[in-house]
């Protein structure tokens, strides 16, 4: 179970960091799109920093599981917020935006799985 927890934590950390870095720096098309749809630049930066913090927490959580569990749960909460945001803007009905909009659903499930495997591996 520990190996599964490590694999899930590392994969989630990579995803979370690569998704959060552009938002934290407010560079690239993703932050610009979020701001264009009504999110403030401060909120976009906060989301990016939360994703980066989750990545750090997941990696450190390999050695200290309580932090990894908290980071995985926090990332799941952020992803659920992203799902609500995409639903509000109708991205699931739009065939062009559907691909990017389904990623938070997948990663919310993976974050919950990581939290469960980290808990079971203690």
């Amino acid at each position: 179970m520990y190996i599964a927890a490590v694999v899930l934590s590392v994969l989630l950390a990579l995803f979370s960091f690569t998704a959060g870095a552009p938002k934290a720096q407010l560079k690239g098309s993703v932050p610009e799109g979020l701001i264009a749809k009504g999110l403030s630049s401060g909120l976009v930066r906060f989301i990016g920093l939360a994703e980066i913090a989750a990545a750090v927490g997941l990696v450190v959580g390999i050695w200290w599981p309580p932090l990894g569990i908290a980071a995985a749960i926090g990332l799941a909460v952020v992803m659920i917020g992203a799902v609500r945001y995409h639903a509000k803007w109708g991205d699931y009905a739009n065939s062009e935006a559907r691909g990017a909009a389904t990623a938070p659903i997948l990663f919310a499930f993976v974050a919950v799985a990581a939290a469960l495997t980290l808990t079971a591996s203690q």
Side-chain angles (χ1 to χ4, degrees), residues 41-116:
S41 59
L43 181 58
V44 172
R45 181 166 286 169
F46 176 77
I47 292 167
L49 291 173
E51 290 173 343
I52 291 171
V56 172
L58 285 163
V59 171
V60 174
I62 293 170
W63 295 278
W64 190 43
L67 182 61
I69 294 165
I73 292 170
L75 186 58
V77 169
V78 170
M79 292 298 111
I80 290 169
V83 169
R84 291 185 66 208
Y85 171 81
H86 287 293
K88 174 184 173 184
W89 284 98
D91 291 340
Y92 297 112
N94 182 350
S95 62
E96 292 178 9
R98 191 176 303 134
T102 56
I105 297 170
L106 170 69
F107 287 109
F109 282 118
V110 175
V112 170
L116 293 174

Side-chain angles (χ1 to χ4, degrees), residues 3-14 58 110-115 117-118:
I3 293 172
V6 170
V7 169
L8 286 173
S9 294
V10 169
L11 289 175
L12 269 175
L14 288 172
L58 285 163
V110 175
V112 170
T117 55
L118 282 166

